[in-house]
Amino acid sequence: MNRIVTCPLRGACTFSRTFSTLLRKPNICRNSKIQTLPNRWSSTRQGQMSEQAVYITAVGVVVGFTAFGIIYTKNSWSDLSTKKGAVKVSRAVKVEVPPPPPPPPAFITEHAQYLIIGAGTTAFTAYQEIKARDPTAKVWIIGKENYIPYSRPYLSKYLWYLAPEKINTWTEQDHPVGAKSIFYESESYYFSGKELAENENGGVCVIGGQKVTKLDADKKKVYLECGKEISFGKCLIATGGEPRNLPIFKEAPKEVKDRVTVFRTVDDFKKLYALSKSAKSIAVIGGGFLGSELAVSLQARANQENSGLKVTQVFPEGGNLGLVLPQQLCLWLTSHITSEGVQVLSERTVSKVAYKDNKVVLNLSDDTEINADHVIVAVGLEPNVELAETAGLEVDDRLGGFLVNSELEARSNVWVAGDAACFYDRRLGRRRIEHYDNAEQSGRVAGQNMTGGGLAYTYQSTFWSDIGDVSMEAVGLADSKLETTTISELVKDVEDGSNRKVVFYRKGEDVVGILTMNIKRKTELGRRYIDKGLKEKDIGEVAKQFFAKVEEKTEEPESNIESAIENVSQK
């Protein structure tokens, strides 16, 4: 509503003149009730007193209205000036314009027989199962990254131990443990959009650099960021998750943000690999698997090349993997990582960040100050559930992730697998798992069910981590808040003389998780015992089987790819 602002003095004067006229000329109100006043108002003294009272009242009214007018006008002009000022301020602030949407691909189908949202491990294994059960299936995979499906674990571990000249010519022989490439298949394995549409025998096409912004489960249709729409017959959501960042870095100056990496993708690896050649100090925030793997890998590479790089790791827990390992083992691992050259600052958080002399200045909760050329934030993952609202899907309010049934189905013809799926484990209850083995195996089950398999996901997935020369494998629940039983064995005939360990995690008498350290290929044994319902009283006898020697097996490489990763030195 528009506000009319007039001069308060002018209004007050007009009111005063009008009121005085009325007092001097009562006859103009002869027909009004003013003439019916009591007789006492007609006496001379009382008339004079009444006249004075009326004038005093009139003056009071005038003054009151004048003051009100002044205050009203002042506030009105203040409001207007504030609004004008706000406009000026908003014009002065630089507004970040979002990047334009990506251009649509050269060819894209209007209808996908099988559509997979996400282009990681889950997507690839789901495709393999679909194709195995439906030989002429046409599968369309849509991913945000401009890469064909690859395995993420290598980015924080093995790639850092290769010689620089091997990065762009990596084969399984170059790998420290003889493993495969990070890419599941070469680019020639995938069809272009037009080729797939015309191929009667089916296949798979990866549409990279595109994001699905909306999924309409009722219309069985997805909407892409580029503006295209695709209808589908069957759809799998394999969106995984996004790496968390800390608010203190989100709100930091641009100079700081430009020197912070939340590590997850091939591009993140390339960026960090290039930086590690020239940086003299890198701070890793986070003491979990990813943060510990990166800290040790970076420091090992620096030691190998004698680059002078110093890696500092900061986290709030009492030691490395403090949320996973029991305290004694946690402190042992921290001591080992420190011996590798990493400066570990546990039980500390970042309280303030600044930019000074081309470095990021981190002030910690204990008043320690760190100057770093670059900062890596590795504090966990947020499941990517952006499509939940538009698709009408339910998200678990405790664990995150899309709620699915035992067949990984969220709605008719819509499945979810991998990091973004929250499923029911018949042995351990409702779970959401952020590990490679779960991504791979849940993708397989979802792919089979998309072709009518009707399988329940009952698999006890495993996870592994290599932190320098310390290897860990686990199955089930591995949580430091659970009761634990740790059994160790000093191995004298092993080359590095490492202390092998087995940790049994318990809920009461039930064993719900088993973790091994420096013991290889025992996860299948652990999986069987958890499925059978291993009890605390049997731990001592069962532990002997984990220390029994395993016959070495030679495994065929799973892929024969000419290049593992593009030459990072050219980027």
Side-chain angles (χ1 to χ4, degrees):
M1 183 174 69
N2 294 329
R3 183 181 290 171
I4 301 176
V5 181
T6 59
C7 176
L9 294 176
R10 180 178 178 182
C13 292
T14 303
F15 178 86
S16 177
R17 287 196 301 271
T18 304
F19 196 83
S20 299
T21 302
L22 289 172
L23 291 174
R24 288 195 301 269
K25 299 180 179 180
N27 291 336
I28 64 174
C29 298
R30 185 167 296 159
N31 296 326
S32 70
K33 292 183 180 180
I34 295 178
Q35 297 300 317
T36 61
L37 294 174
N39 291 333
R40 66 177 181 270
W41 287 91
S42 61
S43 64
T44 303
R45 183 174 178 84
Q46 289 178 342
Q48 290 176 351
M49 291 178 66
S50 63
E51 185 175 352
Q52 290 175 2
V54 170
Y55 273 99
I56 291 173
T57 302
V59 171
V61 171
V62 171
V63 171
F65 270 90
T66 303
F68 173 80
I70 293 174
I71 294 172
Y72 180 85
T73 306
K74 181 178 180 180
N75 290 338
S76 300
W77 283 107
S78 176
D79 289 344
L80 291 173
S81 63
T82 301
K83 292 178 182 178
K84 290 180 180 179
V87 172
K88 291 180 180 178
V89 171
S90 64
R91 289 175 181 171
V93 174
K94 184 179 179 181
V95 179
E96 293 186 7
V97 179
F107 177 89
I108 191 167
T109 185
E110 293 183 357
H111 177 78
Q113 181 186 7
Y114 297 97
L115 180 69
I116 301 177
I117 306 172
T121 298
T122 301
F124 184 77
T125 58
Y127 161 71
Q128 287 183 314
E129 293 300 323
I130 291 171
K131 187 68 169 151
R133 293 173 56 85
D134 185 355
T136 61
K138 295 184 179 182
V139 181
W140 299 78
I141 297 176
I142 303 174
K144 292 192 296 183
E145 294 183 63
N146 286 304
Y147 293 98
I148 54 179
Y150 63 88
S151 175
R152 296 188 192 280
Y154 295 93
L155 301 179
S156 60
K157 306 179 185 69
Y158 312 129
L159 285 181
W160 294 96
Y161 295 88
L162 299 179
E165 64 272 13
K166 292 290 187 180
I167 291 296
N168 64 326
T169 58
W170 184 30
T171 63
E172 60 273 7
Q173 287 79 19
D174 299 317
H175 193 286
V177 293
K180 59 184 182 295
S181 165
I182 65 169
F183 295 108
Y184 298 115
E185 293 292 346
S186 62
E187 291 195 14
S188 61
Y189 179 84
Y190 302 92
F191 289 98
S192 69
K194 187 173 178 59
E195 289 172 340
L196 180 58
E198 297 173 350
N199 188 7
E200 295 181 356
N201 295 322
V204 59
C205 171
V206 177
I207 303 173
Q210 295 288 344
K211 179 181 178 181
V212 175
T213 59
K214 180 182 177 182
L215 188 155
D216 191 324
D218 295 324
K219 295 181 179 179
K220 298 174 65 174
K221 184 178 291 189
V222 298
Y223 302 81
L224 274 58
E225 192 177 12
C226 65
K228 294 290 185 177
E229 302 175 10
I230 304 176
S231 62
F232 61 81
K234 310 284 186 180
C235 178
L236 170 63
I237 300 175
T239 49
E242 298 293 334
R244 290 192 187 102
N245 198 353
L246 295 174
I248 196 166
F249 292 111
K250 291 180 182 179
E251 300 164 3
K254 184 179 183 302
E255 295 85 356
V256 172
K257 291 180 180 179
D258 291 342
R259 290 162 177 79
V260 174
T261 297
V262 283
F263 193 91
R264 178 131 177 104
T265 67
V266 167
D267 287 335
D268 295 332
F269 169 79
K270 290 181 180 181
K271 175 183 176 181
L272 197 56
Y273 188 93
L275 282 168
S276 67
K277 295 181 178 181
S278 58
K280 295 303 178 185
S281 55
I282 292 180
V284 179
I285 312 300
F289 286 107
L290 180 60
S292 299
E293 289 170 359
L294 279 174
V296 173
S297 297
L298 281 163
Q299 192 64 66
R301 179 142 204 92
N303 297 342
Q304 177 183 332
E305 298 185 345
N306 197 26
S307 65
L309 170 64
K310 182 63 180 177
V311 179
T312 302
Q313 190 179 10
V314 180
F315 49 82
E317 295 81 31
N320 291 80
L321 304 190
L323 300 179
V324 176
L325 300 177
Q327 184 179 17
Q328 185 177 1
L329 203 51
C330 167
L331 296 177
W332 178 88
L333 180 61
T334 300
S335 176
H336 179 79
I337 291 175
T338 302
S339 70
E340 295 287 329
V342 178
Q343 181 186 18
V344 178
L345 302 179
S346 59
E347 298 183 300
R348 275 163 269 206
T349 58
V350 180
S351 57
K352 184 179 179 182
V353 297
Y355 178 72
K356 184 178 180 182
D357 297 332
N358 294 322
K359 289 184 180 293
V360 178
V361 181
L362 303 176
N363 292 103
L364 306 185
S365 53
D366 66 342
D367 296 328
T368 302
E369 183 177 288
I370 301 173
N371 295 312
D373 294 318
H374 201 77
V375 177
I376 304 169
V377 179
V379 292
L381 198 70
E382 288 288 349
N384 191 338
V385 293
E386 291 180 355
L387 296 176
E389 184 175 353
T390 61
L393 304 181
E394 188 177 0
V395 174
D396 188 274
D397 57 3
R398 183 175 65 90
L399 300 173
F402 298 92
L403 277 173
V404 295
N405 63 18
S406 60
E407 297 178 8
L408 302 180
E409 194 173 24
R411 280 193 61 177
S412 296
N413 300 310
V414 178
W415 289 260
V416 187
D419 296 348
C422 186
F423 63 95
Y424 182 76
D425 185 316
R426 62 182 181 179
R427 176 66 63 182
L428 305 175
R430 182 66 62 176
R431 302 182 69 190
R432 189 180 67 80
I433 304 175
E434 298 174 1
H435 292 297
Y436 175 85
D437 193 35
N438 174 69
E440 184 178 47
Q441 297 302 328
S442 64
R444 293 193 188 286
V445 171
Q448 291 185 52
N449 289 342
M450 292 171 76
T451 54
L455 300 177
Y457 185 54
T458 60
Y459 179 78
Q460 284 294 338
S461 65
T462 65
F463 66 86
W464 84 93
S465 177
D466 291 322
I467 302 176
D469 58 1
V470 176
S471 64
M472 280 175 280
E473 296 179 352
V475 60
L477 299 178
D479 189 328
S480 61
K481 293 190 291 294
L482 295 171
E483 297 177 282
T484 58
T485 299
T486 302
I487 299 177
S488 300
E489 180 185 56
L490 182 60
V491 182
K492 297 179 180 179
D493 59 345
V494 176
E495 185 177 356
D496 60 3
S498 60
N499 192 4
R500 301 196 300 179
K501 307 173 190 296
V502 182
V503 182
F504 296 88
Y505 295 84
R506 310 188 316 274
K507 283 186 176 180
E509 295 183 356
D510 296 324
V511 174
V512 295
I514 301 174
L515 179 145
T516 63
M517 184 174 288
N518 295 327
I519 301 175
K520 298 278 189 177
R521 291 189 290 277
K522 291 290 187 176
T523 52
E524 182 59 37
L525 181 63
R527 182 183 295 113
R528 289 204 305 267
Y529 275 117
I530 290 177
D531 281 339
K532 288 180 179 179
L534 178 63
K535 301 296 183 181
E536 179 185 8
K537 62 183 178 62
D538 301 318
I539 286 177
E541 190 63 30
V542 167
K544 297 177 183 178
Q545 299 183 43
F546 286 89
F547 294 117
K549 187 175 181 180
V550 178
E551 294 295 328
E552 296 293 332
K553 295 181 180 180
T554 302
E555 296 182 358
E556 293 294 327
E558 295 185 23
S559 59
N560 185 18
I561 301 173
E562 297 178 358
S563 174
I565 197 166
E566 299 169 343
N567 191 346
V568 295
S569 62
Q570 296 178 358
K571 295 292 181 179

